[in-house]
Amino acid sequence: MIIDVEARSAPTALDQLRPTAPVAQRMIDATIAVIDAGGEVAVRVQDIVATVGVQIPVLYRHFGYRDGLVQAAQIERLVRDLDQELTQLGAAFDGASTATEFRALFDELLERVTAPDRAAMRSKRVNILGSAYGRPRLAAAVAAMQVSGVERIVQLFERPQREGWIRADLDLAAFAAWFAGQALGRILIDLGDTNVDGDAWNALSARAVRFVLFG
């Protein structure tokens, strides 16, 4: 038997949920708009195909079923959010040439990630994570994106660590995962009807992050 050593490996869960065909992308875009406006429950196959201008069999051919389309839309929401967020962060950090400049930029980042006006973003992120419950393929794709996100954050902090701007003994992967989860945790008071002072939470969060990063 001849084995093709150059054969491509089986597509990952992330690959399976991210079709590249233009018509599939248009259906995903339409579904994202619906989810953003009314949640998954508002997604109707008939409405999506009407918006895109195709027939229902086209949707089934690319996604298998309604839930396949919803899962594809959810992972795409995460991919786009993370990519935009990390691209902006990278551009900001590239502008730092001294420890003082880096710290000032990081302080701006701390203010931005915990700002009340980012509550919608945090809610979206939690919605995506929650949608993976009971959906093994989506959960695997979300996990893959989280791994990718941590790797990108590590890359952003490698230069500051080499330059001595942050702690040399800091495990960057552990910090990246902790920081992402810590910032997302503000969702607990974003929901409203709480006796927690938002400004106090932000100040406490910033102090903790600065200590971990700078000592």
Side-chain angles (χ1 to χ4, degrees), residues 31-103:
T31 305
I32 288 174
V34 173
I35 293 175
D36 285 346
E40 287 187 10
V41 68
V43 178
R44 299 179 67 251
V45 168
Q46 294 87 344
D47 294 339
I48 299 301
V49 296
T51 298
V52 177
V54 297
Q55 299 298 315
I56 288 180
V58 176
L59 184 149
Y60 290 151
R61 182 164 66 249
H62 287 282
F63 301 101
Y65 47 102
R66 174 188 177 277
D67 198 58
L69 172 63
V70 170
Q71 291 187 47
Q74 289 286 29
I75 196 62
E76 191 63 27
R77 293 171 86 209
L78 180 60
V79 168
R80 294 177 184 181
D81 275 7
L82 282 177
D83 185 64
Q84 180 182 30
E85 199 171 86
L86 294 177
T87 297
Q88 292 174 348
L89 181 59
F93 282 5
D94 283 345
S97 57
T98 66
T100 300
E101 289 177 356
F102 174 77
R103 187 149 186 166

Side-chain angles (χ1 to χ4, degrees), residues 83-179:
D83 185 64
Q84 180 182 30
E85 199 171 86
L86 294 177
T87 297
Q88 292 174 348
L89 181 59
F93 282 5
D94 283 345
S97 57
T98 66
T100 300
E101 289 177 356
F102 174 77
R103 187 149 186 166
L105 287 168
F106 191 77
D107 283 346
E108 291 178 10
L109 168 67
L110 287 176
E111 290 185 11
R112 188 167 72 248
V113 299
T114 58
D117 62 5
R118 285 175 62 85
M121 182 283 296
R122 289 187 286 269
S123 180
K124 178 191 288 189
R125 191 69 53 82
V126 169
N127 173 260
I128 296 168
L129 295 176
S131 72
Y133 182 78
R135 290 167 164 165
R137 187 171 62 163
L138 179 57
V142 169
M145 278 305 304
Q146 292 303 120
V147 168
S148 175
V150 165
E151 290 175 347
R152 289 180 64 181
I153 294 174
V154 167
Q155 291 171 3
L156 293 176
F157 281 91
E158 283 176 339
R159 181 173 73 93
Q161 191 172 57
R162 286 196 306 271
E163 297 286 353
W165 300 344
I166 61 177
R167 286 172 41 193
D169 64 338
L170 183 63
D171 183 320
L172 293 180
F175 170 76
W178 172 78
F179 179 51

